[in-house]
Structures are given as C-alpha cells and as structure tokens.
Amino acid sequence: MQLNTSRLILRDFEEDDWHGLHAFRSDPDVARFMDWEPATPEQTRRWVLATILHNRAQPRLSYNLTIVRRGDGCILGWLGIGILSRRGTAEDEYDFGYALARAYWGQGYMTEALRALLGFAFDELGARRVYGECDARNVASARVMEKAGMRREAELRYRYSATGDVADNYRYAIHDREWRAVQAAKEP
C-alpha cells in the first residue's frame, strides 16, 4: 500500500522504520496528547512489528502508514485509518489517527498526508464517513483536520488509558458528499 503526494510517500510499515518512528514515539511533547506514554526503543520496535502483522490481516481492516519525505527518505511520522471496531457502527465508517515527529511540526506535512488519506478512504475504500479525534488542548491537530476539510462534530470527555488522565477531546468528521464537494470546488 502506498499513497504519493507532492512532498510525501505514505506507505506500509517496514521493519526498519522503527528507528525513524521512534522520534515521535519517545517524545514527551508528542505523547502528552496521545493515549500512550513515551516509548523505549524496544517498545517502538515491538509496536512496528505488531503493526506490520496487523496490516497483513485479511480482510484488511486498517492501514497504518509510515510518512516519508520524498527526496531524502526521511521518516516524519505515522498515519493510520481503520474500520470502526465499536458495536453499532456502520461498515463504511472509518476513524484515523496520526503523529508527527516534533521536528516537522508546522510545515504542512500532516495536512498533506491527511488529505491523501481521506482521498484514499473515500475513493478506494468506499467510506461514507471518516472521523478523527484530538485532545482539545492540541490546537495544531485540530487545525490540521480543519485544513483538510473536516468540521468539528462533537466535544467529548476522554480518559487516557495509559495515564488515567481525563481531558476534553474534539471529534472532527467529514462525509463522502462533503469530500466530493471540496474536491469539485478545487477543479478548474
């Protein structure tokens, strides 16, 4: 699985990716808004191996991708999407998550990657609705979703399982018809 943008390659995890992915997995500034604590190198390596196995499941229910910068092959982060696992949700609804190494924040990489992922979800997976959530204190992540064409749908209370902390989260969503309208507006 591979998606290409003007500056990025989004591809399935490879075993050696753990070195580059560890930059965000071990960073307390990244982890503070995620549902995990900063990872050791061994924890990151195990996460990558488990994710590779998860990506290989048939039928494939999720796509966890390494974000790679074109040109120099630098690993910037992770982006994943999957069918909702909660009971009562439709098979054509997907949720996503992402994390970017701090050195690459504020450069538009995550918005570019998310737009490519949304296109894949609607055009290839046949998604009807896609949503993601972020900690309400993570203004930059909320802005990424807004710039990708998503709208804030809800504010939720969330207990982080890794730390037990409770925080407000924003849920952003986009429906296929909204995505198609945004894409049609871009055409000359």
Side-chain angles (χ1 to χ4, degrees):
M1 160 65 182
Q2 182 170 307
L3 303 172
N4 298 308
T5 72
S6 62
R7 299 185 299 164
L8 303 172
I9 298 168
L10 312 174
R11 60 161 174 75
D12 278 331
F13 279 24
E14 296 174 0
E15 193 169 333
D16 286 341
D17 288 351
W18 79 268
H19 297 283
L21 294 171
H22 190 62
F24 79 82
R25 294 275 302 170
S26 62
D27 188 334
D29 283 339
V30 176
R32 71 187 163 127
F33 295 128
M34 306 301 281
D35 194 14
W36 37 264
E37 293 283 315
T40 66
E42 183 57 28
Q43 289 170 323
T44 298
R45 192 173 92 46
R46 284 195 315 262
W47 174 70
V48 168
L49 293 174
T51 302
I52 289 170
L53 290 175
H54 191 68
N55 276 350
R56 291 180 182 160
Q58 293 299 322
R60 188 163 184 178
L61 302 177
S62 64
Y63 297 82
N64 288 285
L65 308 171
T66 300
I67 303 170
V68 180
R69 187 169 50 203
R70 286 179 172 268
D72 64 5
C74 182
I75 293 176
L76 309 181
W78 153 82
L79 178 68
I81 189 167
I83 293 175
L84 299 175
S85 58
R86 295 181 198 102
R87 276 192 312 191
T89 58
E91 290 181 16
D92 56 359
E93 291 188 350
Y94 290 80
D95 68 342
F96 67 87
Y98 54 73
L100 195 65
R102 186 169 16 135
Y104 309 109
W105 290 357
Q107 299 174 44
Y109 289 123
M110 192 51 74
T111 301
E112 186 174 329
L114 181 54
R115 285 180 180 144
L117 188 73
L118 291 172
F120 172 73
F122 292 116
D123 298 339
E124 302 298 324
L125 298 178
R128 183 185 58 80
R129 177 177 173 269
V130 177
Y131 83 86
E133 295 177 2
C134 69
D135 189 302
R137 298 168 295 179
N138 192 344
V139 176
S141 187
R143 187 70 186 121
V144 163
M145 290 186 268
E146 290 167 357
K147 290 191 294 187
M150 302 180 79
R151 62 184 159 61
R152 188 181 313 167
E153 178 178 271
E155 185 171 330
L156 313 159
R157 294 293 273 168
Y158 182 77
R159 181 175 302 281
Y160 289 97
S161 60
T163 63
D165 294 341
V166 175
D168 290 330
N169 269 20
Y170 293 142
R171 177 176 290 167
Y172 282 82
I174 188 167
H175 286 81
D176 55 353
R177 66 185 177 281
E178 295 167 317
W179 176 257
R180 305 240 182 274
V182 167
Q183 299 314 301
K186 290 181 182 177
E187 294 176 4

